[in-house]
Amino acid sequence: MGGARLALGLTLSLILQPALPIFAQPTPPQPAAPPFVTGPEDGQWVIPQKNFANTRYSDLSEINTETVRNLQVAFTFSTGVNRGQESAPLVVGSTMYVLSPYPNILYALDLTQPGAPMKWQYNPKPAAAAQGVACCDVVNRGPTFANGRIYFTTLDAHVVAVNADTGEEVWKTKLGDINRGETMTMAPLIVRDKVFVGISGGEYGVRGWIEALNAEDGKSVWKAYNTGPDQDVKIGPTFKPFYDSDKGKDLGVTTWPADAWQQGGGTVWGWLSYDPDLNLLYHGTGNPGPWNPNQRPGDNKWTAGIFARDADTGEARWFYQTSPHDLHDWDNVNEMILLDMEWEGQPRKVMVHPGRTGFVYVIDRTNGEVLSAKPFHALTSVTGVDLKTGRLQTNPEKEPVNNRVIRDICPTAPGAKDWNPSAFSHKTGLLYIPHMNMCMDWESVEPNYIAGTPYIGAEVRMMPGPGGHMGEFTAWDIREGKELWTINERFPLWSGALATAGDVVFYGTMDGWFKAVHARSGEVLWQFKVDSGIIGQPTTYRGPDGKQYVAILSGVGGWAGSIVSADLDPRDGTAAKGFVNAMRELKNVTTKGGTLYVFKLP
Amino acid sequence: MRQLLILSLSVLALAACEREDREYRANPVTSETEEKIALSPLSAGPSGPTEQRSGLGQQYEENAYHIAQGKRLYIWFNCNGCHAHGGGDSGPPLLDDRWIYGGQIENIVQTIREGRPNGMPSFRGKVPDDQIWQIAAYVRSMGRNVPKPAAPGRNDDMHPGPAEQRRPPGEVMDGGQIPPAAQMPQ
């Protein structure tokens, strides 16, 4: 009798559930930004990532879903260089800082004056020959402010500190040698008294590393390589990786053919995150060298993965390899957004990482456990991530074979998404991912290592993915692991995203539109056509007049846009490592540029 | 009489075949050719720059063997890493008509040997002189600035575009454009 009543009750509840969500399991809250980045909004934008958690979110809301349609140009400024502008305009107090691509000129603009006139410029005069060893246009991803100074890297592998008030050079340190293909393009991260920077050159057989410099004088504090013996990698007793494949002695040597780790790549040129509560620095490692995987049997540790390191000593704490024995140039340098979220009933400190492999990873940032990996891109060459072993599952049919053209590999060499950072809205709890929709043909060929020249060993040509469009702007539900809405774009998205408390999200397109979309519906609320394609990072700030401004650099280029910025010949589909095959039309819709645009409400 | 006719006809027929000359003994790495050329069409005085070519360039770029060797060496020395298959990448395109540092074979030899200030490495002492000429001859064939019968046919790898032989004859625009990033505003 009792059993029957229970059964009836269960049946009823099952029937009624969809109509009465009040009886359903309460849905866990959306992920949230960690407490160390949720303080009161100061209206500034002092590092490209906005904060240590890399959320790229501002609490300013004067520009919102109602007012954004009135947005208009406040002032513009020419960087004087018409190569790819991947940098982020910073605002500290009443000064804006803009950094150009090579020759890496830093400008300070006075926001208190009408038209924001130039206060000073600083020119580090990098070696012109460095342009010859920059794989993918001569870009720079931004300056960083800390301790009254602006820190940035130069293409010829120097790090400089400049007095933020006067523009005087405080120190300048050489960290790499262009004769070995070493360059620098990343934005440094400053934590207290340390400047963290890494080397670029994964296409030149550079042995990747990250280094901590003393912010005061530029002297080295620690340096960790990403290939080679444990001692060089700073792997010691405190290294506790989550997966067995990362446990063992000197894996940075034994997972390579003899000595291949010395030209093994694993460079550091992407976004750094830092958790002050755990005192952990997070950095990705780039693709192994050469691209052709048949040259380097083994898992090729510690390339194409994520390191968590003690920020004071550089000692590795954990590592997770997103692409063991990487097949297709899948650097793991994309942003790692630090969030707190409930996972299977438990609160977890996580990092969210939209990777080149085509998955959005949710990883426990205390120990490197992958909680979920859900696809956000059309996939043919990978099938999933085995959560038991953490290993990327590949499709054997799409694996490279020497001297054979393998067709329709998705995602491509630049990945489902390249360097251009996503934004996380503290308000909607959603991730906004600017990414690609592309596939490629790939032929592995035997490469030849000559220091200072490329070390790749692959012929590539790319094409649009399913649907024919090449760019997508996606609002992503992290908890569910699925997209909420997506805006298709004709060209790949190579610009970063910006989220604001006004529920407006900004990004730019390679054909030159700067767009503001509704954070919840994806409706395009406002757009403005700038002088060249956009591959920069939008930022927002409160000006000295109390009004909210939005800033973006236009100037097409980067790997995707080098067909325009470097005048490449569209008749060769393999130009720009195969990107030209997909980008032929870009020459017909935009030209080179290098202009700062700043917008405000009337 | 009949035999004599056949014999003389054969001799005549064979004599009509022109065989390409090949240099089997190359110069050592250390020696290098010295062509008197200018990098600019402009000179002091109205007569144009003084140039004197030995004719070696023509020998190389009209010779199918040298061009084919150059195509192989172009890959071996990683030229394709920066210039792709002529479309360019970090280095400028080579199959178009714009030549920043001169588009004649002697200019190209000099560019490979000495390097150029905006990122072209110097290969002096790294590549034997005759191989530099062969690479330069192949570079000339990319924009089809060599005779059609001497230009390479299609290769077995991924096709970046039509084979050199099938491209329309190119032209050389002297001067071209200095990479804009090299122009420092300050």
Side-chain angles (χ1 to χ4, degrees):
Chain A
M1 181 67 187
R5 201 160 43 206
L6 186 66
L8 182 69
L10 271 173
T11 315
L12 268 177
S13 73
L14 279 173
I15 294 163
L16 292 174
Q17 215 165 26
L20 296 169
I22 197 156
F23 292 129
Q25 279 262 314
T27 46
Q30 286 288 2
F36 57 85
V37 298
T38 52
E41 175 63 53
D42 62 4
Q44 304 187 101
W45 199 285
V46 301
I47 70 172
Q49 304 95 313
K50 173 67 176 173
N51 51 44
F52 286 155
N54 279 245
T55 59
R56 292 177 187 266
Y57 169 84
S58 168
D59 242 343
L60 300 180
S61 59
E62 185 197 351
I63 298 169
N64 55 43
T65 53
E66 294 298 313
T67 60
V68 67
R69 61 195 158 86
N70 298 320
L71 218 51
Q72 55 180 232
V73 174
F75 63 92
T76 62
F77 176 78
S78 167
T79 65
V81 182
N82 55 9
R83 296 297 290 253
Q85 315 276 335
E86 289 189 356
S87 178
L90 302 185
V91 172
V92 182
S94 57
T95 306
M96 175 178 281
Y97 299 93
V98 178
L99 183 62
S100 83
Y102 170 86
N104 307 124
I105 302 163
L106 178 68
Y107 301 96
L109 309 180
D110 184 355
L111 298 177
T112 62
Q113 303 295 317
M118 186 159 66
K119 281 167 87 171
W120 48 258
Q121 56 175 298
Y122 166 75
N123 189 342
K125 299 193 173 78
Q131 295 172 90
V133 280
C135 80
C136 314
D137 203 358
V138 292
V139 297
N140 189 292
R141 302 193 178 84
T144 302
F145 171 85
N147 315 323
R149 292 170 184 171
I150 298 285
Y151 299 88
F152 66 95
T153 59
T154 67
L155 193 66
D156 63 348
H158 288 67
V159 181
V160 288
V162 175
N163 183 312
D165 290 329
T166 64
E168 283 166 324
E169 181 180 300
V170 182
W171 53 259
K172 184 174 178 182
T173 304
K174 184 186 175 191
L175 294 182
D177 178 4
I178 56 170
N179 262 313
R180 292 205 309 244
E182 294 174 333
T183 54
M184 278 187 173
T185 55
M186 73 179 286
L189 183 75
I190 290 88
V191 175
R192 295 187 299 273
D193 59 343
K194 289 187 189 67
V195 181
F196 300 109
V197 285
I199 198 77
S200 302
E203 278 60 54
Y204 297 81
V206 165
R207 183 187 175 202
W209 48 257
I210 183 166
E211 189 162 357
L213 306 175
N214 186 332
E216 208 44 53
D217 55 15
K219 297 253 164 40
S220 180
V221 180
W222 56 258
K223 182 174 183 177
Y225 286 92
N226 297 326
T227 68
D230 283 353
Q231 193 185 350
D232 295 4
V233 187
K234 290 198 155 295
I235 285 177
T238 55
F239 183 58
K240 301 268 188 302
F242 192 83
Y243 298 102
D244 288 343
S245 55
D246 298 313
K247 294 171 186 165
K249 191 170 159 38
D250 291 330
L251 294 180
V253 173
T254 59
T255 58
W256 293 89
D259 292 335
W261 54 270
Q262 300 196 31
Q263 294 92 38
T267 51
V268 180
W269 56 272
W271 300 108
L272 306 179
S273 306
Y274 173 70
D275 184 327
D277 300 332
L278 302 166
N279 194 32
L280 287 183
L281 173 75
Y282 302 101
H283 72 88
T285 63
N287 61 283
W291 282 15
N292 179 359
N294 305 322
Q295 302 290 121
R296 41 175 174 80
D299 273 358
N300 312 130
K301 305 285 180 197
W302 307 87
T303 65
I306 300 169
F307 263 118
R309 294 182 184 276
D310 182 297
D312 292 323
T313 64
E315 291 292 326
R317 290 294 177 74
W318 58 258
F319 176 82
Y320 169 65
Q321 197 167 27
T322 45
S323 185
H325 184 63
D326 174 50
L327 299 179
H328 293 127
D329 181 35
W330 289 335
D331 302 64
N332 194 79
V333 295
N334 293 356
E335 67 282 5
M336 289 164 273
I337 297 161
L338 310 187
L339 301 175
D340 290 347
M341 70 186 285
E342 198 177 302
W343 186 258
E344 289 169 354
Q346 298 295 318
R348 302 287 282 260
K349 290 172 185 278
V350 301
M351 65 164 64
V352 177
H353 171 76
R356 275 166 91 136
T357 53
F359 300 92
V360 177
Y361 296 83
V362 180
I363 298 171
D364 185 321
R365 70 175 183 271
T366 63
N367 63 5
E369 178 189 3
V370 179
L371 304 180
S372 84
K374 293 286 173 63
F376 68 104
H377 189 280
L379 307 173
T380 63
S381 58
V382 289
T383 53
V385 175
D386 182 340
L387 294 182
K388 283 200 181 68
T389 60
R391 202 171 174 92
L392 184 67
Q393 306 294 302
T394 55
N395 174 1
E397 281 175 26
K398 302 294 180 187
E399 284 174 13
V401 178
N402 271 14
N403 304 317
R404 188 194 296 168
V405 179
I406 311 282
R407 294 173 196 279
D408 297 319
I409 297 167
C410 330
T412 54
K417 175 188 165 301
D418 204 290
W419 72 279
N420 45 320
S422 327
F424 172 82
S425 169
H426 299 193
K427 204 169 159 196
T428 63
L430 300 174
L431 186 65
Y432 300 92
I433 313 173
H435 63 102
M436 287 180 269
N437 174 48
M438 296 177 76
C439 300
M440 66 173 171
D441 296 343
W442 174 296
E443 180 191 359
S444 272
V445 291
E446 200 174 322
N448 181 14
Y449 180 74
I450 304 172
T453 70
Y455 187 46
I456 292 177
E459 301 287 350
V460 178
R461 62 180 173 217
M462 303 178 205
M463 57 284 260
H469 59 283
M470 291 189 276
E472 292 187 356
F473 189 74
T474 296
W476 185 262
D477 185 321
I478 298 164
R479 194 187 52 219
E480 299 289 329
K482 61 171 207 244
E483 62 178 54
L484 282 187
W485 49 258
T486 291
I487 302 169
N488 293 346
E489 297 286 355
R490 180 180 177 193
F491 293 104
L493 283 186
W494 209 257
S495 98
L498 161 68
T500 66
D503 268 352
V504 184
V505 182
F506 294 88
Y507 70 97
T509 67
M510 291 188 74
D511 48 356
W513 288 99
F514 188 48
K515 297 191 177 184
V517 302
H518 197 298
R520 293 172 199 275
S521 67
E523 184 194 349
V524 178
L525 301 170
W526 170 88
Q527 56 182 347
F528 185 87
K529 179 73 170 58
V530 296
D531 63 348
S532 173
I534 297 175
I535 59 162
Q537 305 163 49
T539 59
T540 188
Y541 64 94
R542 191 191 296 119
D545 57 359
K547 292 175 81 77
Q548 184 186 356
Y549 293 77
V550 178
I552 183 74
L553 282 164
S554 80
V556 83
W559 184 1
S562 57
I563 181 169
V564 171
S565 65
D567 280 323
L568 303 185
D569 196 312
R571 286 173 292 174
D572 174 6
T574 63
K577 298 167 193 70
F579 231 131
V580 161
N581 195 57
M583 301 302 286
R584 291 190 168 101
E585 288 298 310
L586 191 65
K587 273 200 163 174
N588 303 332
V589 298
T590 190
T591 55
K592 301 175 217 197
T595 308
L596 167 77
Y597 283 81
V598 179
F599 301 92
K600 66 164 185 175
L601 292 172
Chain B
M1 183 62 198
R2 185 187 158 86
Q3 279 175 333
L4 191 70
L5 186 71
I6 290 169
L7 188 71
S8 54
L9 277 176
S10 313
V11 168
L12 278 172
L14 279 171
C17 293
E18 193 194 354
R19 195 171 188 280
E20 268 189 1
D21 286 330
R22 278 190 204 177
E23 294 253 354
Y24 287 102
R25 186 180 297 240
N27 292 329
V29 186
T30 44
S31 76
E32 59 185 51
T33 49
E34 284 176 27
E35 300 283 330
K36 294 190 174 62
I37 52 160
L39 202 52
S40 165
L42 203 60
S43 76
S47 60
T50 308
E51 295 190 305
Q52 224 176 341
R53 291 178 160 79
S54 67
L56 190 66
Q58 205 182 347
Q59 279 175 38
Y60 271 89
E61 67 182 31
E62 291 182 354
N63 184 302
Y65 168 75
H66 283 317
I67 297 174
Q69 286 294 302
K71 183 167 184 169
R72 210 152 62 103
L73 296 164
Y74 180 85
I75 306 292
W76 281 14
F77 288 108
N78 285 352
C79 308
N80 62 323
C82 298
H83 300 281
H85 294 284
D89 192 338
S90 55
L94 302 175
L95 66 80
D96 66 356
D97 55 3
R98 308 210 297 193
W99 291 90
I100 304 165
Y101 304 110
Q104 304 305 322
I105 187 168
E106 294 85 359
N107 300 121
I108 298 168
V109 165
Q110 211 161 42
T111 297
I112 297 170
R113 203 186 269 149
E114 296 179 4
R116 297 297 181 195
N118 287 303
M120 173 74 192
S122 162
F123 285 83
R124 173 173 278 129
K126 313 286 167 70
V127 181
D129 204 56
D130 61 307
Q131 295 189 352
I132 291 183
W133 281 93
Q134 289 175 332
I135 294 169
Y138 172 61
V139 168
R140 288 273 295 165
S141 82
M142 289 179 143
R144 254 276 274 123
N145 294 306
V146 303
K148 190 179 171 79
R154 62 171 255 189
N155 51 354
D156 291 337
D157 291 300
M158 183 185 283
H159 294 181
E164 290 84 350
Q165 207 171 53
R166 295 182 55 206
R167 293 175 194 161
E171 57 179 323
V172 170
M173 308 284 283
D174 258 337
Q177 198 183 24
I178 290 171
Q183 303 165 347
M184 293 202 189
Q186 195 172 314

